[in-house]
Structure formats: structure tokens, C-alpha cells
Amino acid sequence: MENFRLRVFRAVADEMSFRKAAEVLHLSQPAVSQHIHALEEEAGVQLFDRARGEGHGSQISLTEAGRVLLGYANTAAETMVEARRALAALNHEVVGELRLGASTTVAQYVLPRILGAFLRQYPQVKLSLVSGNTERIVESVADKKVALGIIEGPAMRRDVKTERMVKDEMVLIVSPNHTLALRKGAVITPAELAKLPLLLRERGSGSRRVVERALKKVGIPLRSLGVAMELDSTEAIISGVEAELGVGFVSRWAIGKVLRLGTVRVVAVEGLEIVRDFSFVRLAGSEVRGAAAAFQRFAMVSADAK
């Protein structure tokens, strides 16, 4: 829907090369030059300082008029994208770019199946996903680097808003060779937990915040525990437990496979239940639209159906 000459102009301005713009647009270099000349004649100004750029491949630069037009051309292109989304919505289509952020546990264990099904249903969506701990994903949302985030702990900021996606439970896992795994009922006391080497997520992790809060509520401050190691992913904690480096709290979403293989066991802690939400996070005062809104609806239904 964008004016093609403006599209050619933006490509040349982005690449600062007629030759490279021609490659991006799958046109010949003379065709690119012809479109730029026609646009300059129509506008009555010179848009590029060529300095041998058309014929010899040298770098070119925008004139003052070119910089002014580029601002308007970029705005026009963004407007056309929004127009396309609005028109698609009238036909119940979902198209366009979708930038998602997800904390590590969600990205690794929850999203793969959901994303696959979503893209099969909406093949015209161009998806990109960034992952990191909860703190990083919340920052990405606040900085408008992603349209929608999914986190596993409290957001800890007032400029974003969260909404529950699905519930999760965090459980304590041990090696199957651990003496606790052989205990009848596999239940330990808080005092016994304090004596065990604990594998814990890094600071800034939503999982860590949730574990710390739950332990504090039942009178087990983190300082009373024997933290043997801090690790940057749930997978690292599971691997550490399998290697008998310690015990660790992880999401039930993450241990289906290892439980079936018998490489870890779940042990209950008396009086301790760690239940949390995986939550969508977006900018406060705004609503998700287009592909992001469609994904949020789709993910909520898919997660609840697990």
C-alpha cells in the first residue's frame, strides 16, 4: 500500500547506496536511480548528495531536503502498516509484526508449543521473541522494545501493568539418589531444608523473588539457607540437581520430561506451597492491539488447555 517511489527512497536512505538498495528491492540499479530522479523532479529538490555514488558504488548522503522527506516517508510507511492492520481486523485477519518478550522459564517450557500453534493459525504474522529474566523483560516492555511480555514474577514497576496468563507451582527437586528421595512420603521440614545445599536463580529472576517471598512467609529467610550456587536458568538448576550439586526450586512446567525419565524427584516442604502466575505485562495506560492482542487471547486459551 505504500507509494513505491517512497519505498525506493527509504531503501536508498537506509542503505546509503543505490547498489545495495537495488539488491534489497530486487531491482536493477538503473531502475532505482530512475525512481529517485523521478521523485526529485516531482518534489523539486535534490534528495541525495551522490558524489559518484550511483555509478561507482561510493557512499552517498542525504541532503537537508532528503532528511526532511525521510521523516515524512517513515511516518507514512508506519501509517500504512497501521491501516493494513485495521483493514485486516475488519476481515478478522491477523497480520504484521509481533515483538514478544518472555522470561526464561516461560520462553523455554511454556511458549514453544503455543507459538507453533499460533503461527500455524496466523501465518501472516512476523514474530520475533527475546528472552531474559523477569527484570529484563519488564524493562523491554517499559522501553517499548517489545509489544507484550510474559513474566514469571512480580513486575516491580508502576509504569507497566500485568494480567494473569496461567497459574504455576514451584516445587523442590532432588536427585533420585538423595536420601530424601528415598524417604517415605518425601516430605521434609523447614529446618531440614535449611541444612541442604540450595541451587538458586540469579538476582533479578522472577522465580527467585517468588521463592524468597514464599520462604519468608513461612519463617524461612533466605539468609538461613545454605545457598550453594546461583544459576541463570531453570535448566541449569535441573542439571545441577541431576549432578547432585544440591536441591532447587523449579516450575512444574519445566520438569515433566525429567520426572518421566526419573532423573529428579519432587520433595514437599512442610507448610510450604509456592503458587504463582505467569503474567502478561504491557505498558500501563495502553492496550495491546493487532497481532499482540490476538496472541494474548490465543495464549490464554492454549495455556489453560494444557
Side-chain angles (χ1 to χ4, degrees), residues 191-234:
E192 288 176 305
L193 175 63
K195 297 176 182 178
L196 298 174
L198 182 64
L199 307 181
L200 199 64
R201 283 291 303 274
E202 81 287 2
R203 295 184 186 278
S205 161
S207 294
R208 177 175 177 139
R209 289 196 191 114
V210 169
V211 169
E212 287 180 345
R213 288 183 178 185
L215 291 173
K216 188 175 181 181
K217 281 184 178 179
V218 294
I220 314 174
L222 190 63
R223 64 178 181 274
S224 70
L225 299 176
V227 179
M229 201 177 301
E230 294 185 353
L231 301 166
D232 65 357
S233 70
T234 296

Side-chain angles (χ1 to χ4, degrees), residues 138-296:
V138 172
E139 287 178 358
S140 295
V141 171
D143 294 339
K144 300 182 180 180
K145 293 179 180 178
V146 299
L148 182 68
I150 307 173
I151 57 177
E152 56 199 79
M156 308 294 285
R157 291 179 64 140
R158 294 183 178 181
D159 54 351
V160 298
K161 183 176 181 181
T162 60
E163 181 179 350
R164 176 185 174 272
M165 174 183 169
V166 68
K167 284 199 173 295
D168 177 43
E169 180 187 11
M170 297 197 69
V171 294
L172 183 68
I173 58 171
V174 303
S175 162
N177 299 321
H178 200 289
T179 55
L180 294 176
L182 306 176
R183 180 183 296 184
K184 185 177 180 180
V187 179
I188 64 173
T189 65
E192 288 176 305
L193 175 63
K195 297 176 182 178
L196 298 174
L198 182 64
L199 307 181
L200 199 64
R201 283 291 303 274
E202 81 287 2
R203 295 184 186 278
S205 161
S207 294
R208 177 175 177 139
R209 289 196 191 114
V210 169
V211 169
E212 287 180 345
R213 288 183 178 185
L215 291 173
K216 188 175 181 181
K217 281 184 178 179
V218 294
I220 314 174
L222 190 63
R223 64 178 181 274
S224 70
L225 299 176
V227 179
M229 201 177 301
E230 294 185 353
L231 301 166
D232 65 357
S233 70
T234 296
E235 191 66 28
I237 290 178
I238 294 172
S239 297
V241 170
E242 290 175 324
E244 301 183 24
L245 299 178
V247 303
F249 288 97
V250 295
S251 165
R252 275 203 180 273
W253 284 79
I255 58 173
K257 182 178 179 179
V258 289
L259 283 178
R260 290 192 297 271
L261 293 174
T263 58
V264 303
R265 298 281 177 84
V266 173
V267 173
V269 180
E270 285 182 2
L272 180 66
E273 182 181 32
I274 308 179
V275 178
R276 62 175 176 176
D277 289 337
F278 290 146
S279 302
F280 296 107
V281 58
R282 58 177 170 80
L283 274 177
S286 67
E287 297 294 332
V288 292
R289 301 180 184 278
F295 175 78
Q296 182 171 348

